[in-house]
Amino acid sequence: VFIIALIAGLALLSCKDPIPATVYDNPGAEHTIMITGYVTEFKNALMEEVVGKYSSICRIEIVDISEAPKADFDKYSAIILMDEVEAWMIMNRKARKMIGRIEPKEKLVAVITAGDEEWKYEKHGVEAITSASVMSELDAVLEKIYRRVDPLIE
């Protein structure tokens, strides 16, 4: 009974709102970028800046995280996954499923927020951009995202 209660409690704690699906179409664009993950003020600000930078040169598909693991990853030049660490990524089932399926790993830009600013994620050939969800870190995180996405769409 204790284990069932613990699992149920962890499941409730892990309820997060997905980023709403939408498409920023750009007919004739050579590259398509997928953005998926969960809503927070920090992640929304990141997403708005990324869309602002790339929507004039790429098609951008924002995909609901529940659908993202089933996507055809081959059609994307870059995939930006925004999540927050839960129990050292043990509870991040959808993110882990995506990370395991995406090839080549270089096209995945994982942005994982954590309460511990020193926490890092490096597994399955993926080194995530990690940060606390602090607005003062926004520019630094954006710069890291751009450094990874730019070579994928050149």
Side-chain angles (χ1 to χ4, degrees), residues 130-143:
T130 57
S131 170
S133 288
V134 179
M135 294 307 275
S136 64
E137 296 291 317
L138 189 70
D139 289 338
V141 173
L142 283 167
E143 184 58 36

Side-chain angles (χ1 to χ4, degrees), residues 6-15 91:
L6 179 63
I7 292 170
L10 288 173
L12 286 174
L13 288 174
S14 69
C15 291
M91 299 295 292

Side-chain angles (χ1 to χ4, degrees), residues 32-141:
T32 301
I33 297 172
M34 174 201 278
I35 301 174
T36 190
Y38 295 97
V39 173
T40 67
E41 180 182 0
F42 183 74
K43 290 180 190 80
N44 282 347
L46 288 173
M47 185 177 61
E48 287 173 12
E49 293 291 329
V50 168
V51 168
K53 177 175 170 104
Y54 294 116
S55 62
S56 65
I57 57 173
C58 297
R59 173 183 168 86
I60 299 177
E61 295 180 15
I62 300 176
V63 178
D64 186 297
I65 188 71
S66 63
E67 298 298 320
K70 299 177 264 183
D72 176 9
F73 299 125
D74 291 335
K75 75 178 197 174
Y76 300 103
S77 300
I79 300 164
I80 301 171
L81 168 65
M82 293 192 269
D83 203 351
E84 65 185 43
V85 66
E86 295 178 77
W88 304 279
M89 295 297 285
I90 295 167
M91 299 295 292
N92 299 73
R93 192 178 94 249
K94 291 174 186 147
R96 286 185 297 113
K97 189 173 185 179
M98 281 185 65
I99 290 168
R101 284 194 55 229
I102 294 172
E103 292 294 339
K105 298 296 184 202
E106 293 78 22
K107 76 164 58 178
L108 176 63
V109 180
V111 180
I112 311 292
T113 58
D116 178 2
E117 293 181 27
E118 301 300 316
W119 183 83
K120 303 287 182 215
Y121 180 83
E122 196 171 335
K123 196 170 189 177
H124 303 294
V126 173
E127 183 179 341
I129 297 168
T130 57
S131 170
S133 288
V134 179
M135 294 307 275
S136 64
E137 296 291 317
L138 189 70
D139 289 338
V141 173

